[in-house]
Amino acid sequence: MLWHRRQTIKIILAFLGAFSIACGLISVPAFPQFVPSQANPQVLIEQSRKLYDVGQFTEAVTILQQVAELFRAKGDKVGEAIALSNLSVSYKQLGQLETAYSYITASLKLLNNSERATHRYVNKTENSELVLAQILDIQGNLQLELAKAQPALESWKQADNIYHRIGDRIGQIRSQINIAQAQQALGMYRQARITLEQVNQTLATQPDSITKATALRSLGDVLQLIGDLDNSLKLLQQSKDIAENLKSPTEISATLLSLGNTQVALGNRSRTTSDNIIAEKYTPLNCTNKFPSAGAQKFYQQAAQFYEQAAANSTSSLAQVQAQLNHLSVLIQLNKWLEAQNLSAEIKSKLSKTPLSHAAISAQINFAQNLVCFKQATADDVPTWQEIAQYFGVAIEQSKSIDDRRLEAYALGALGGLYLETQNLNQAEEITQKALLLAQEIKAEYIAYLWQWQLGYILKSQGDVRSAIASYTEAVNTLKSLRSDLVALNPDVQFSFRDNVEPVYRQLVDLLLKPLTGGTQGEVNQKNLKQARDVIEALQLSELENFFREACLQAKPQQIDEIVDKTDPTSAVIYPIILPDRLEIILKLPTDSELHNFTTYKPQSEIESNLEKLQQYLREPDRINDVKKLSEQVYNWLIEPLATELEKKQIKTLVFVLDGYLRNVPMAVLYDNKQQKYLIQKYAIAVAPGLQLVESKSLQRGKLYALIGGVSEERQIEGKSFTPLENVNQELQEIKSEVPRSQQLVNQNFTESDLKNRINSVPFSVVHLATHGQFSSNANDTFILTWKELLKAKDFDNLLRLRDSSESSSIELLVLSACQTAAGDRRAALGLAGIAVRAGARSTLATLWSVDDRSTAELMSQFYQELANAQVSKAEALRRAQLTLLANYEIPYFWAPYVLVGNWL
């Protein structure tokens, strides 16, 4: 009898694993294993289990309350604790998280008070421990959903210890995957990665089972969440193979759903790197800018196939609907309108028969949002806006009926977005206000910021700019408070940085920099200018943290003005930002208390088209005339309006905090046709990923100690071919002659482990790496080549910070002399900023395209010569080296790719 009951538990675990992954978490069995001492509770437990399995959670709650009372009357504290934990899980499915949390707390309290008392059919030492571990897993699950990541981490660590003590390896794997998610939510990326790698190693030794398939799928979902999409696909495919071998339709369906989600993530990544952003048109519910480019479509098509197969394999009506909703979303993105319409009718029918629960209401909202996207794209008469509004209305009433206030707040805001779409602005404002108040009342900040953003957009549309700015400012402040949670947001919120975060910042800057008198005339007041500058700095920080998928950066906002006013009074900081209808520039000059603002009215499409052509022609040595023509245009937009102010202050160094596509073009090449000079001939130049991330300390010249290395030979790594770099040895030899205190690692000796050992043992101030590398807007595609492997952007933290985390031991200068930006990636240079920040070096000198020519060795030799002069800044040293090269090689291809990022002093 006990064996049979254990088999039942395994079946339930398989189902709940499939269900929970759609919500982003692996869970323990809904009903921890036990056998009640009397027949009556046994019958009731089986009834509640069946109700739970078919999604009738309200009815399951009613019966479980009777079970808890029966055990309480018998004085059976362990049985009562288990019943309370089952109530907690059921209330969670109803969306009543606070109630669920109160039940799990009461359950644990009973267990502790009972000193794990013996239950008639529960072994005192092992099975009672198992019950405690499972209840702790449930508690951790709830704590994470309630944004209590640290307590969740502690709960899962306790559960992990128990599983280890009783020898339950699968239970331990589940807990460790959960621990990794809590670590990720806390911004502890490195720890999460180590945890996941250990889990993966353990799984490799486990025999095939449904639990192993579930664990692999869970790990694949976590990797998808943190952006490691290639490894996510590998693990999910392994999970699918095991599920198919074991002939488990439920697990097959769940894994297919996860595979579809990862394919969509790949499509989103492809879309992010190649598509324009028209941020002005983005709102939380707007879909018109979110359709895929040709490069992304193949991923969405693959996802559509996975979702279709998932629905076909599902044995649960709700799980089938969830797969079909994801399929519907992809069909709409692929413009397959007839298929989408037919699938919508099928989903509508199934939703009407689905028992009420948190997941069912989420599906209802998801369905309505898909219909909004369908309507926006096709303008068909069916469905009508009124019909879609009714779906949201039903979701709102259903949320109230089960007291799910989070879903109520989300559905209300979505309804407000629908009224915005139909230009019923008064109704949109009223409903959005209600949604926002409710989200704030329940402290659901990840929902609140959406409706703060939406309200700002509505108020802007009504002409109330002052109130719109206030609402957008609240949204940005809320996003700042959510820094560590942005990659682990509630799954009810469809999150992507490009669609759901970046537009909030850009739209606020757009409003702040609107002239006071409207139109193209008038001035922006200083309060708005300073706030706009702060928002641009915050966007730079947010972009980099999204690049790494963790809140890993330590900003110092107090130093933004000090670094120019006090440390280097001959430098000026230029903040250009590309808005839909214009290029805005904010200029910070030394000792000036006021900021300066300049506006060039050119559409975003024209500016980005110019920059894209310029980037392309710079890599073609025979296009010098085209380069001059295009770079002159950028000079006239970006520098000419500032020229008088720069001359007045006798500025010598320009520091650019660049936006978007501007990052892909070296500012040195901007051409002043009047004076027949490139910008580098007039100013030293540096790039900063926001001044709040720049160390203000100058280089100690007399103490240079360099680690130099690289790969000169042809290599084949991770399916990529790397051509020989014939001039690497000459470059390193010339550097060695300029910096006598140096150590060298070349070819076979240039490995990640060798680099780590050297850096860990010697206090190098300069690390110079002459090897292939690539910068991309995706951290996993940003790397440098070592002899045996590709060193990814996320590993730079481990590599260069090994010796000591103290400021005094930081590497002064990192040089990457043979890198290039990824082809076709509009935001590739974000990877350069990412490496610069991640490395922990105060400054990074890198190339935007690789030049395998003796000119690179000449420039580097001259750069280190100039760097020995204590009176010359790093930016000026680079300028002089580039001018030396310019005198010998007129073509920008040879002298222009070098960019100094970070500290320029």
Side-chain angles (χ1 to χ4, degrees), residues 115-276:
E115 297 181 345
R116 301 174 192 172
T118 305
H119 192 282
R120 181 180 297 182
Y121 293 100
V122 179
N123 180 278
K124 182 176 181 179
T125 58
E126 182 174 321
N127 285 348
S128 58
E129 288 268 85
L130 176 61
V131 168
L132 177 59
Q134 291 173 337
I135 292 174
L136 284 166
D137 271 345
I138 296 169
Q139 177 177 256
N141 191 319
L142 284 166
Q143 287 167 328
L144 193 61
E145 288 212 31
L146 289 166
K148 298 176 180 179
Q150 187 61 48
L153 180 61
E154 296 305 319
S155 294
W156 282 326
K157 282 183 175 179
Q158 289 180 52
D160 182 53
N161 289 335
I162 295 171
Y163 286 128
H164 176 72
R165 188 162 60 242
I166 64 176
D168 187 338
R169 294 297 298 137
I170 296 301
Q172 197 172 4
I173 288 169
R174 287 200 304 268
S175 288
Q176 287 171 352
I177 292 173
N178 286 334
I179 285 168
Q181 293 197 69
Q183 289 169 332
Q184 181 67 22
L186 289 166
M188 299 160 62
Y189 173 79
R190 279 177 292 170
Q191 293 91 326
R193 183 173 181 176
I194 291 169
T195 302
L196 292 175
E197 287 173 349
Q198 291 171 345
V199 168
N200 201 12
Q201 290 172 4
T202 303
L203 285 173
T205 65
Q206 295 291 316
D208 286 354
S209 65
I210 293 300
T211 304
K212 180 178 179 179
T214 303
L216 281 167
R217 173 166 51 81
S218 302
L219 182 53
D221 281 344
V222 172
L223 292 176
Q224 188 248 315
L225 180 70
I226 65 177
D228 190 353
L229 302 183
D230 295 333
N231 283 322
S232 172
L233 279 178
K234 289 178 184 177
L235 290 174
L236 291 173
Q237 188 60 52
Q238 290 177 36
S239 175
K240 176 173 169 286
D241 291 344
I242 292 171
E244 287 177 340
N245 289 338
L246 296 174
K247 296 181 174 55
S248 170
T250 300
E251 188 59 31
I252 292 170
S253 173
T255 307
L256 286 166
L257 187 67
S258 292
L259 279 164
N261 292 343
T262 299
Q263 289 289 345
V264 167
L266 283 164
N268 290 341
R269 185 172 77 184
S270 175
R271 180 168 62 90
T272 299
T273 61
S274 60
D275 289 5
N276 285 317

Side-chain angles (χ1 to χ4, degrees), residues 13 62 91 106 186 303 391 493 602 702 725 735 758 769 771 807 868:
L13 172 60
T62 301
Y91 272 113
L186 289 166
Y391 289 123
V493 182
K602 291 287 179 183
L725 293 173
I735 295 169
R758 292 291 181 94
L769 308 179
T771 182
E807 182 177 322

Side-chain angles (χ1 to χ4, degrees), residues 264 290-292 297 299-308 323-347 370 373-374 377-378:
V264 167
K290 302 176 185 178
F291 296 106
Q297 285 190 20
F299 298 111
Y300 293 128
Q301 288 166 350
Q302 183 66 55
Q305 294 175 20
F306 282 132
Y307 290 142
E308 190 171 18
Q324 288 179 320
L325 283 168
N326 289 3
H327 188 195
L328 175 62
S329 175
V330 171
L331 289 175
I332 292 170
Q333 293 188 74
L334 291 171
N335 300 338
K336 295 186 177 181
W337 311 125
L338 183 59
E339 289 180 53
Q341 206 163 30
N342 292 337
L343 185 57
S344 294
E346 188 177 342
I347 293 170
N370 273 302
C373 293
F374 181 86
T378 64

